[in-house]
Amino acid sequence: MKFLTCAAMAALLFAGTACSTFPQKKPAPAATTAKSGPKHSYWAGDGVKGDPSVRIVLAEQHAYFYKGTQLVGESTISSGKKGFETPPGKYKVIQKDKDHVSNLYGDYIDDDGDVVKANVDITKDKMPDDATDFRGAKMPYFLRFTGGYGMHAGHLPGYRASHGCVRMPGQMAQHFFEAAVIGMPVTVEP
């Protein structure tokens, strides 16, 4: 019996030692490369002088606000999903509308204002028989930079999800909106 106990202890000791000689699989490090971009938002532009401009980097899902050459604000974004990609290019702000409402995307509602069909595209989704009207999606702090594309407050699920616009957290959309001027450069990079 004493022999079996010693043998069992030796086996456990050997097994414990043997396990520690094999390399342990470490969890993959979190993505921290510059290419993945910062994951936060901030504003430090109040009282800063300089011509305003915005740089949007689609690969990072991030927008940068400058006054002159000084970076004064950063924001996470959600740009256009597949089939509705936000177009890269050099643009200028052509419209500011604090209380903008979409004329293409929104909900079909009934006489009581209740939603009959949500999240519709009026160019593709036929109005149901029990609906009586279309209510456009709210796009607060809208800064149009080309055609039907602009920056505005909206839902950020953590990936590209819009119909082409650049959605931002409400507070950041408000900061960008208040500091923007008509004709301000907006660069959208892939």
Side-chain angles (χ1 to χ4, degrees), residues 41-105:
S41 299
Y42 76 87
W43 181 258
D46 296 340
V48 178
K49 303 290 184 212
D51 292 333
S53 65
V54 169
R55 179 175 159 247
I56 299 166
V57 184
L58 300 174
E60 294 177 1
Q61 289 296 282
H62 219 72
Y64 303 88
F65 198 102
Y66 294 86
K67 287 192 177 177
T69 59
Q70 185 175 347
L71 178 63
V72 297
E74 297 183 26
S75 181
T76 54
I77 66 166
S78 179
S79 64
K81 62 187 174 183
K82 187 173 183 169
F84 295 92
E85 289 84 359
T86 306
K90 293 184 183 284
Y91 308 104
K92 293 185 184 291
V93 170
I94 56 177
Q95 178 190 16
K96 285 180 70 170
D97 184 356
K98 183 179 176 191
D99 299 310
H100 189 72
V101 177
S102 176
N103 61 351
L104 294 177
Y105 307 108

Side-chain angles (χ1 to χ4, degrees), residues 97-105 136-144 148 150-154 163 165:
D97 184 356
K98 183 179 176 191
D99 299 310
H100 189 72
V101 177
S102 176
N103 61 351
L104 294 177
Y105 307 108
K138 293 180 181 181
M139 300 174 160
Y141 303 109
F142 187 74
L143 294 170
R144 184 183 309 273
M151 298 175 276
H152 62 82
H163 288 105
C165 281

